[in-house]
Amino acid sequence: MDTLETRELKYFLAVAEELHFGRAAERLGMAQPPLSRAIQQLERRLGVRLLERNRRGVLLTGAGEVLLDEGRAALDAITAAARRTRRAGGTDRPGGPRNRLVLAVKAAASHELLQKLLDAYAAEPDAAEIEVLPSGTCEQEEMLRDGRADVALMHTPYNSLAGFDSEQLLTEGQIAILPAGHPLAAHQTLSLADISDIPDLPLARWPRHGTYPPGPGPEIHDQAQLAQLIALGRTMAVFPDSARAWLWAEHTAVPLTDAPPIVTHIAWPPHSRSLTLAALIRTATQL
């Protein structure tokens, strides 16, 4: 049988991600024996072994690795379909308008471009409401895939455009954002090597796909926290040049001569047939 039930995928993904039946059962709010039976039944139906069981937990087989990747994508697609359908009908927010679009943006990035886009689109006849959804680093991809957003401003090389349709909007350089009183803030330009290992000013660390990269810098949760820590002389950050729009008086921006350019794209799911979304994309490409 080639069909899978949503419930089966949820059960398998919990076990595959926890690699432990007890923790997976607790996460799902169910007893362990029925979860084990459900996975065994799934393996029999598919005719493949998905998990290798031992006393310490479980390991994924090659087939299990495939179902883990495909299952996540399938559940994201189902969740996205439900969210976008409810949003189109105005039932996701009591009293909210129909035909609303959610635009995911990286907090503090492309501020001027975003403002121009919102103003230009608002002037269009029959413009829909645009809800701006700020996100952390690389979260726009996830928001598009699971339906929390209909469209996003994405930034290569940091964001991946794989699996989306997109249009290029803006190319800009990068800047180091430093405490105004730090010696490096007096430089006209800096290189990546200049800022790579400064004991008293470690680079801030943003989460990528739920985990923080290793390093001595502070773990950053939002832009306000980052701005304050930079002003206090505890960290520094690298941003596109357009981030100058949110700098405080206690910050200094110094151009980075050898950092790769940041290209801002507007991206959306390739299967979308929304006329409202098409109008927003058309406005963006005409800026």
Side-chain angles (χ1 to χ4, degrees):
M1 183 178 294
D2 293 331
T3 58
L4 290 170
E5 297 180 2
T6 302
R7 175 182 58 84
E8 292 177 314
L9 283 177
K10 288 180 178 178
Y11 286 0
F12 171 74
L13 289 180
V15 177
E17 290 170 353
E18 297 291 344
L19 292 178
H20 192 280
F21 274 92
R23 291 194 298 269
E26 184 178 355
R27 168 174 153 183
L28 293 165
M30 63 187 298
Q32 184 174 333
L35 175 60
S36 297
R37 289 194 296 271
I39 298 300
Q40 291 169 355
Q41 181 181 3
L42 176 60
E43 289 179 319
R44 286 196 298 270
R45 286 180 56 229
L46 293 176
V48 295
R49 182 175 289 277
L50 300 171
L51 304 167
E52 295 290 349
R53 300 157 177 81
N54 58 47
R55 291 182 179 180
R56 290 179 295 179
V58 295
L59 295 174
L60 288 171
T61 65
E65 292 279 3
V66 171
L67 186 57
L68 175 60
D69 291 338
E70 297 285 348
R72 281 172 173 160
L75 283 182
D76 279 348
I78 291 170
T79 302
R83 282 174 169 160
R84 291 191 175 112
T85 298
R86 295 183 68 239
R87 187 153 59 240
T91 59
D92 66 319
R93 195 172 68 183
R98 297 188 179 188
N99 213 22
R100 182 173 107 258
L101 289 177
V102 175
L103 170 62
V105 299
K106 179 182 175 183
S110 303
H111 177 79
E112 185 177 350
L113 173 66
L114 175 61
Q115 190 62 63
K116 287 180 178 178
L117 173 58
L118 295 176
D119 290 346
Y121 179 70
E124 293 288 326
D126 302 320
E129 178 184 319
I130 303 297
E131 178 183 339
V132 177
L133 183 60
S135 69
T137 302
C138 298
E139 287 183 345
Q140 305 100 307
E141 304 162 40
E142 225 174 278
M143 290 174 170
L144 275 185
R145 289 193 174 95
D146 68 15
R148 282 176 289 168
D150 302 294
V151 60
L153 293 184
M154 311 259 273
H155 312 279
T156 58
Y158 296 115
N159 294 129
S160 171
L161 298 172
F164 302 117
D165 285 344
S166 65
E167 290 283 351
Q168 182 175 323
L169 302 181
L170 174 70
T171 299
E172 59 185 322
Q174 297 195 66
I175 54 174
I177 302 177
L178 307 158
H182 194 276
L184 288 178
H187 290 231
Q188 293 298 310
T189 61
L190 292 168
S191 68
L192 290 173
D194 292 331
I195 64 170
S196 64
D197 187 18
I198 308 171
D200 66 328
L201 204 64
L203 275 166
R205 293 181 294 139
W206 290 89
R208 293 179 66 88
H209 309 296
T211 61
Y212 286 90
E219 296 181 353
I220 301 301
H221 308 291
D222 56 48
Q223 179 192 339
Q225 179 195 30
L226 174 64
Q228 184 172 37
L229 288 176
I230 294 175
L232 291 172
R234 302 302 177 89
T235 190
M236 63 172 296
V238 174
F239 268 86
D241 190 77
S242 56
R244 293 175 186 270
W246 61 264
L247 297 189
W248 296 4
E250 296 90 344
H251 301 155
T252 295
V254 181
L256 292 168
T257 56
D258 56 349
I262 300 298
V263 183
T264 301
H265 304 254
I266 187 167
W268 64 95
H271 54 74
S272 176
R273 298 294 181 270
S274 167
L275 296 179
T276 304
L277 176 56
L280 178 66
I281 294 164
R282 183 172 59 251
T283 300
T285 58
Q286 292 172 350
L287 292 177

